[in-house]
Amino acid sequence: MVTQITEGVKISVETVYQPEYSNPLHDHYMFAYKINIENLTEYSVQLMRRHWHIFDSNGSHREVEGEGVVGLQPVIEPGSSHEYVSGCNLKTDIGSMKGSYEMRRLVDSEEFEVRIPEFLMIAPYKMN
């Protein structure tokens, strides 16, 4: 698990390789990731947008941007957290992701960026 705190918002990420959805013979590797967003501030915050950088070990890079996460723009109260699971397909058995969330403080509508720490996605057989 990797963790990072930005502007009082803690992001923790765990990943798992999904062999049942992968097809190595066709360069298709599927990973799931679980993200926990914890609000350590004294204000309610809302996740507005996401921006991902996805890297394959073959040198390719792609970016994904959009509103919210898995169709939601969750409001996270002080001391609370929001957790979700999503997935990423790679063309190689090793890769990484990093990015940011655009958050809004509800008390004053101030927007700020929260960094998502870089995390690795590695097929388990590569770890031997």
Side-chain angles (χ1 to χ4, degrees):
M1 177 186 309
V2 295
T3 299
Q4 184 167 356
I5 299 173
T6 310
E7 301 274 344
V9 177
K10 180 179 178 181
I11 307 296
S12 302
V13 186
E14 292 180 71
T15 63
V16 63
Y17 176 62
Q18 300 200 294
E20 63 276 19
Y21 298 109
S22 298
N23 188 339
L25 293 175
H26 292 97
D27 297 327
H28 182 80
Y29 302 86
M30 191 67 196
F31 294 85
Y33 56 89
K34 179 170 67 173
I35 296 193
N36 185 276
I37 305 164
E38 188 175 356
N39 183 359
L40 305 176
T41 75
E42 57 190 55
Y43 304 105
S44 298
V45 298
Q46 184 173 16
L47 191 158
M48 304 306 293
R49 297 186 61 77
R50 70 192 181 287
H51 184 171
W52 288 108
H53 295 272
I54 304 166
F55 303 91
D56 276 280
S57 61
N58 64 6
S60 68
H61 166 255
R62 43 189 170 127
E63 291 187 52
V64 176
E65 291 187 78
E67 290 189 359
V69 290
V70 293
L72 301 173
Q73 290 180 312
V75 171
I76 308 167
E77 302 296 333
S80 295
S81 62
H82 177 78
E83 189 170 88
Y84 72 94
V85 175
S86 192
C88 178
N89 62 308
L90 298 177
K91 293 185 183 296
T92 61
D93 50 9
I94 299 175
S96 67
M97 289 177 66
K98 65 180 180 178
S100 61
Y101 295 128
E102 180 184 306
M103 307 289 281
R104 177 181 292 152
R105 263 196 326 248
L106 297 186
V107 68
D108 59 5
S109 295
E110 177 84 19
E111 293 191 353
F112 60 99
E113 183 178 278
V114 172
R115 287 183 299 282
I116 305 166
E118 184 169 18
F119 55 93
L120 298 176
M121 294 172 285
I122 303 173
Y125 59 84
K126 293 299 275 190
M127 297 171 65
N128 291 331

